[in-house]
Amino acid sequence: MTVSPMVPAQMAEQRSLALFLHAMSSAVDNDDVEAQNSSMSLDLGEQLLRNPKDTFATYAGDDSLAERGMYDGDLLLVDKVLKPQHDDIVIISIDGELQCRILDMKESRLVCCDETHSPILLDEQIGLVVEGVVIQIIRSLR
């Protein structure tokens, strides 16, 4: 899977959203639920950016990792300091071209779910740099 150039992921200003603890389909004692929910808030920056200074954003360029829940146009948050582990989705650079692959440490290779992309053998690839680990996938529903 190709990805767009990575840019720093930043929150321009701190914003908090109301955190709703319950979802209801009917108005059953709604006052109690509203009072309970009004005291809770959620900071998206805190939830999404574990290492804010080292988190970058990019967009998925195709559906080759659809089996892992990643689709064309999804926003990917990438942590550049996390140590990649087996089965992580990572952003790699091969001779300056950014790609997204699954790290298979048992077979020492990088793979896609889509078989049209050949595996990349780690010990044969000169000029390969792991840029970071994908920590969040954000998909717009509308």
Side-chain angles (χ1 to χ4, degrees), residues 61-125:
D62 58 50
D63 290 337
S64 62
L65 288 172
E67 288 181 29
R68 293 293 295 267
M70 186 182 300
Y71 297 92
D72 185 21
D74 284 354
L75 177 63
L76 311 177
L77 296 182
V78 181
D79 191 315
K80 293 185 71 117
V81 296
L82 278 181
K83 182 179 178 185
Q85 298 178 1
H86 175 72
D87 211 35
D88 277 346
I89 298 174
V90 294
I91 302 295
I92 60 168
S93 174
I94 299 178
D95 299 326
E97 180 187 351
L98 292 176
Q99 296 185 24
C100 189
R101 299 287 177 116
I102 301 166
L103 179 60
D104 179 356
M105 294 183 84
K106 294 176 183 173
E107 300 289 330
S108 191
R109 63 188 186 156
L110 296 157
V111 297
C112 272
C113 300
D114 183 346
E115 293 180 11
T116 61
H117 293 81
S118 300
I120 299 170
L121 301 177
L122 294 175
D123 36 342
E124 293 179 5
Q125 208 41 255

Side-chain angles (χ1 to χ4, degrees), residues 19-24 26-40:
L19 176 62
F20 293 95
L21 300 177
H22 304 281
M24 293 186 184
S26 64
V28 178
D29 205 6
N30 213 13
D31 292 337
D32 289 340
V33 172
E34 283 183 28
Q36 189 178 32
N37 288 337
S38 67
S39 65
M40 302 288 298

